[in-house]
Each structure stands twice: as structure tokens, then as C-alpha cells.
Amino acid sequence: MAIKVGISGCLLGQQVRFDGGHKRFKFADEELSEYFEFKPICPEVGIGMTIPRPVIRLLDNSIDVRLVDSKDTTLDYTDKMNAFTDNVLPSLETLCGYIVCAKSPSCGMERVKLYLDNGHSVPGGSMGIYTKRLMQKMPWLPIEEDGRLCDPVLRENFVFRVYALNDLYESVKGEDGISRNKLMNFHARYKLALMANHPATYRKLGQLLAKSHEWSDINAFFVKYRQLLMDGLKHRSNCKTNTNVLLHIQGYFKRNLDKQQKAELRDVIMRYREGNLPLIAPLTLINHHLALNPNEYLSKQAYLAPYPEALKLRYSL
């Protein structure tokens, strides 16, 4: 079943921008659409603005940030946008990710132009009104903008988080609902991923699960676990943490590989650490050895196959 992901309507080619055009994001529309069930939303159209429509901007009036008409700042759309966001939130609860349109005063995630009353802009900009409220209300949800997703590291991390959150939701489904055992089984499969992304969160979640029996409300525990998990996975793995995990995995094959095979695997790992090979190289060799020497623990690790191989997200890491 396709994973549900929100997206700014213009990124799917919908002609909903202020000038009647679109900002089609090829990676989402052509590649991710095979795996994701996109829910397109244009907040500006959602609050009743026309196509085409007057340009709007973010204005810092020294009290707060407002969403206003660029020529007539007395036309303020902030309250309408916040009300629209709050109204649409219940329909977004099943989403596992969201891709927003960069630089948009409603959808931009960062560096959106923020103006002062005198017409000058504030260095660093701000965040779109819609996306800001969305992130406040759903802080666990993986959110990225199209511009940032052109970076291979950010792209891989975002897609990985989307799949991880979907996996979490699927793992606790069933008539009996959320249970400590289901969360323990899920966590066991993400140990290596957490070690690679953020070792501190790996330790913190382990401590949390060890005390899960102290929680009388399993749903409240799930909310706490979900937030810590997604915060941890938001940290991007790097060469050092990946190398540590790869060497850790190598230890599982010490009784299965001969001297030459062990040396070959270590050499590939070290060449990755030195920047001479992409991450996919040692992972391919590890998966090869795993196929020949099955290991129940390793075979279940999300780190080794976090998303469809066809996405080729680790080729540039």
C-alpha cells in the first residue's frame, strides 16, 4: 500500500500559483509518486484566494509575523490561513511526510523573505505561515521543501524518515492496538539505523523502553516514543557513524567468512570511510554475505534496506 505524504499542490504540477502557473517537482511527481500516495494542498487556494491572485508576503510588524497583500498590507490573511491549517489538520494525521514549496510565504520551510514596514527584508527570512503551524502541531512529521530535497543527503534522510514513520504505524496496527511488545519489536529493527543517525537517541530510546512498564497509558508512551524516534532520525548519518555501524555489522560474520573475505570487507568499509567509495559499496557486500550466511537479527535491520533500492538514494552518500 502506498505511503501517504502531503505536498504543496504546485509541486505536482497543479496550476495553483499566484500567476496561474506551477512549480512541478520532478523527483516527487515522477519518482516518489510510484511509492507515495500524495495529498496535494494549496493553502492559498484553500483560504479562498483566486487563480491568478495578488502577490502576498510575510510582514514583521514588530509584534508578530503576518501574511499580507504585498501592495496593500491592510489585507491580512494570517487568521484565515491559521484557521484553514487547524481545520485541515485532522485529515493529515495519517500522513508520514510532507513536501512543501520553497520560498512560499505560506508553504516555505526556511529563508522565506520577511519584510519590515519600511520595505526592507530581514536577513535569514522566516517560515511560511502554513508550514510553521503545521510543524508546531505535528512536530514528529518529516517535512522538507523541494529546494532542499535537491541535496542528496537531505533527500535520503527525508525519504528514510517517511518510511520509518510508516513502518512504525504499520507495526502497531491491529485489533489489539498499540502494545509494549509491538514497540519493542519495531525498536529492535531500528537499532542500527539509530546508531548511524544519532547514537544519543539510540541510548535514550533504549532507556525509555526499559521503563515502559511504568507508563499506565500506552498511547501516551507511543506519542513520547514517536517524537524521540523522529527527532533522532532527523539527524543525518555521516561517514564516522556509518563506519562504526558497518564495522559492528562485520562482527556478525566473524565465524562465517574466511581470512580473505574478512580483509576484503574491512577494506571496502575503510575505503568508504576515506571517501573513495559510496555507502552503497560496503552495504552491497554486506547484503551479499548476509544472503549466503543468514542472520535473523541482521536480516530484520531497517538500516540494510530502509526503502526501495530503485530509488538509488545511497549512491551519492
Side-chain angles (χ1 to χ4, degrees):
M1 189 169 74
I3 300 174
K4 296 180 180 179
V5 173
I7 191 169
S8 295
C10 60
L11 299 181
L12 280 188
Q14 294 184 356
Q15 296 177 309
V16 292
R17 285 173 61 78
F18 71 95
D19 57 1
H22 62 78
K23 195 181 177 184
R24 181 174 173 269
F25 184 34
K26 185 177 178 180
F27 175 61
D29 198 25
E30 294 187 7
E31 298 182 49
L32 291 181
S33 59
E34 184 177 345
Y35 307 98
F36 294 172
E37 178 186 330
F38 282 119
K39 180 181 179 64
I41 296 174
C42 176
E44 292 168 21
V45 173
I47 64 172
M49 299 189 76
T50 60
I51 305 171
R53 55 184 171 272
V55 177
I56 55 176
R57 62 167 58 173
L58 296 180
L59 176 68
D60 185 344
N61 63 7
S62 75
I63 300 175
D64 59 3
V65 175
R66 310 297 295 182
L67 183 66
V68 300
D69 186 286
S70 61
K71 294 183 178 180
D72 181 0
T73 58
T74 63
L75 296 176
D76 191 318
Y77 301 97
T78 312
D79 294 338
K80 280 188 176 181
M81 186 61 73
N82 286 335
F84 169 79
T85 307
D86 292 344
N87 185 58
V88 80
L89 279 172
S91 69
L92 307 182
E93 291 181 354
T94 59
L95 296 185
C96 293
Y98 209 115
I99 302 176
V100 295
C101 181
K103 300 180 181 179
S104 164
S106 56
C107 294
M109 189 175 126
E110 63 175 21
R111 298 190 183 92
V112 179
K113 278 194 174 182
L114 175 61
Y115 292 88
L116 299 172
D117 285 324
N118 60 14
H120 295 301
S121 59
V122 178
S126 186
M127 184 184 298
I129 295 291
Y130 172 79
T131 297
K132 182 177 181 179
R133 199 166 186 86
L134 178 64
M135 295 179 76
Q136 290 172 340
K137 299 290 186 176
M138 302 177 71
W140 64 87
L141 187 68
I143 298 178
E144 273 294 358
E145 58 183 26
D146 57 317
R148 285 168 53 91
L149 287 176
C150 291
D151 181 310
V153 176
L154 295 176
R155 176 181 292 197
E156 190 277 338
N157 178 261
F158 171 73
V159 174
F160 171 54
R161 286 185 287 137
V162 169
Y163 271 88
L165 184 57
N166 179 70
D167 193 355
L168 176 63
Y169 288 157
E170 290 296 311
S171 296
V172 298
K173 284 175 63 176
E175 293 183 2
D176 54 339
I178 300 170
S179 70
R180 181 175 180 273
N181 187 55
K182 287 179 180 179
L183 288 173
M184 293 287 283
N185 288 335
F186 169 86
H187 184 74
R189 292 188 286 107
Y190 278 80
K191 284 186 175 181
L192 296 184
L194 284 163
M195 287 171 62
N197 283 62
H198 200 229
T201 297
Y202 166 74
R203 293 188 291 271
K204 185 179 291 187
L205 282 174
Q207 295 167 357
L208 179 68
L209 283 166
K211 296 181 179 180
S212 60
H213 61 278
E214 298 177 4
W215 290 65
S216 58
D217 186 343
I218 191 63
N219 291 307
F221 180 82
F222 173 80
V223 169
K224 177 71 171 180
Y225 178 87
R226 178 181 62 183
Q227 190 63 60
L228 286 176
L229 172 73
M230 300 314 296
D231 285 345
L233 295 182
K234 192 172 183 179
H235 292 269
R236 298 178 289 278
S237 63
N238 55 54
C239 191
K240 180 180 178 180
T241 57
N242 278 320
T243 298
N244 289 339
V245 171
L246 293 170
L247 291 174
H248 178 77
I249 293 173
Q250 184 185 34
Y252 283 87
F253 295 108
K254 61 183 179 182
R255 295 182 180 179
N256 305 111
L257 307 184
D258 59 32
K259 186 176 180 180
Q260 181 179 346
Q261 290 172 320
K262 291 177 182 177
E264 177 190 34
L265 179 54
R266 185 173 182 81
D267 177 64
V268 171
I269 294 173
M270 291 301 103
R271 288 168 67 191
Y272 158 71
R273 186 182 70 172
E274 294 163 3
N276 297 319
L277 287 175
L279 179 60
I280 193 67
L283 287 174
T284 298
L285 186 55
I286 285 172
N287 279 315
H288 166 72
H289 287 311
L290 183 58
L292 297 176
N293 306 281
N295 179 285
E296 184 178 1
Y297 174 75
L298 288 183
S299 65
K300 293 180 179 180
Q301 288 302 304
Y303 179 78
L304 294 178
Y307 37 69
E309 184 179 10
L311 287 171
K312 300 179 181 178
L313 296 174
R314 281 174 160 170
Y315 284 65
S316 301
L317 302 183

